[in-house]
Structures are given as structure tokens and as C-alpha cells.
Amino acid sequence: MIHYALVCENAHKFEAWFSNAEAYDEQHERGIVTCPICTSREVHKALMAPSVSRANSDKVSLSIGHPQHTQLREAMRALRDKVTSEADYVGDKFAEEARKIHFKDVEARGIYGEATRDEVASLIEDGVDFMPLPNLPEEHN
Ligand SMILES: [Zn+2]
């Protein structure tokens, strides 16, 4: 079972349980998911993850000057290389594939790819255990 916080076009917030993420998508597409307050079918998942702030949506976290800067950067590069050489690249289907793996709809395997901030917030809400991959500037030496 999966629990979703939903919101309708009239900003009514409500919660619902679905057997899995696909069940929600299917019922949502068929217009069965309705707001219990105004019966609107224009409902979507409410995003409540506190760690993803709209105000910071165009910013990235950076670091410089740590005494072990070079070693840390090498470690991050090694981490990235390990993941990208051993896991399957799924492109912008990361959120979809990660959810399938999390809810055991498919066999567990390593994947990497890209997701939008909304998708990241939604994955956090669903309790999917993923991690960010470091984006590193190219070496200039
Ligand atoms: Zn409503």
C-alpha cells in the first residue's frame, strides 16, 4: 500500500491509499480519484517535502577551500564513476524506475539518471532511498 497526500483544483487537501504507484496513476487517469469535499476530478499529488524549497530552486550547493579538497573531489569522482559504470542509465525516467524498484514491482538493480525537483520531492515523500550523484566540474590539469 502507498499513501498519498493529494490536493484538488480548489486546494482541498486530502489523503488516500493505493495498492501501489501504478494503481494511483491508473485510477487518476480514469478519473476515479476525486476530491471528497467538492468531488473534483482535477486532483494531483501534494508536494510537502520540507527539504526542497521553491526559493532555492535555481541554486546548487558548492564547496571550496577544504584542506582535503583534492582528495574529497577525487572520492566524489570515484563514487560517480563507480555508479555510472556499474548501474543502468535510465535518463529522465529515474523517478519512475526508482519507484518501481522501491515498491518491488521489478527486480532490484542499480540505476542512475535525472529527475526534476518535483520528482525528487515526490520520491522523498514516498520514502524512496536514493542519493544524489555529485556533478563535478571537468579537471583542468
Ligand atoms: Zn476539492
Side-chain angles (χ1 to χ4, degrees), residues 42-97:
E42 292 296 313
V43 301
H44 54 87
K45 282 181 247 179
L47 298 174
M48 304 183 302
S51 59
V52 178
S53 160
R54 295 279 163 193
N56 289 329
S57 62
D58 294 327
K59 294 183 181 172
V60 293
S61 300
L62 302 168
S63 156
I64 190 172
H66 188 280
Q68 291 169 290
H69 177 84
T70 304
Q71 292 96 309
L72 290 171
R73 193 176 57 177
E74 282 315 304
M76 285 196 288
R77 193 177 299 281
L79 164 77
R80 191 185 172 86
D81 287 350
K82 183 171 175 62
V83 170
T84 56
S85 65
E86 295 173 8
D88 290 341
Y89 181 64
V90 295
D92 57 14
K93 288 197 179 303
F94 180 82
E96 187 184 326
E97 294 300 315

Side-chain angles (χ1 to χ4, degrees), residues 8-12 35 37-40:
C8 82
E9 61 183 329
N10 298 314
H12 298 131
C35 172
I37 299 154
C38 68
T39 70
S40 166

Side-chain angles (χ1 to χ4, degrees), residues 73-131:
R73 193 176 57 177
E74 282 315 304
M76 285 196 288
R77 193 177 299 281
L79 164 77
R80 191 185 172 86
D81 287 350
K82 183 171 175 62
V83 170
T84 56
S85 65
E86 295 173 8
D88 290 341
Y89 181 64
V90 295
D92 57 14
K93 288 197 179 303
F94 180 82
E96 187 184 326
E97 294 300 315
R99 224 178 233 104
K100 283 185 198 163
I101 291 167
H102 178 74
F103 292 110
K104 300 186 168 55
D105 291 338
V106 295
E107 210 168 303
R109 74 186 206 279
I111 61 167
Y112 71 102
E114 292 90 39
T116 66
R117 280 175 187 274
D118 280 354
E119 287 171 336
V120 168
S122 171
L123 288 174
I124 292 169
E125 246 183 63
D126 290 349
V128 179
D129 183 21
F130 62 97
M131 68 176 182

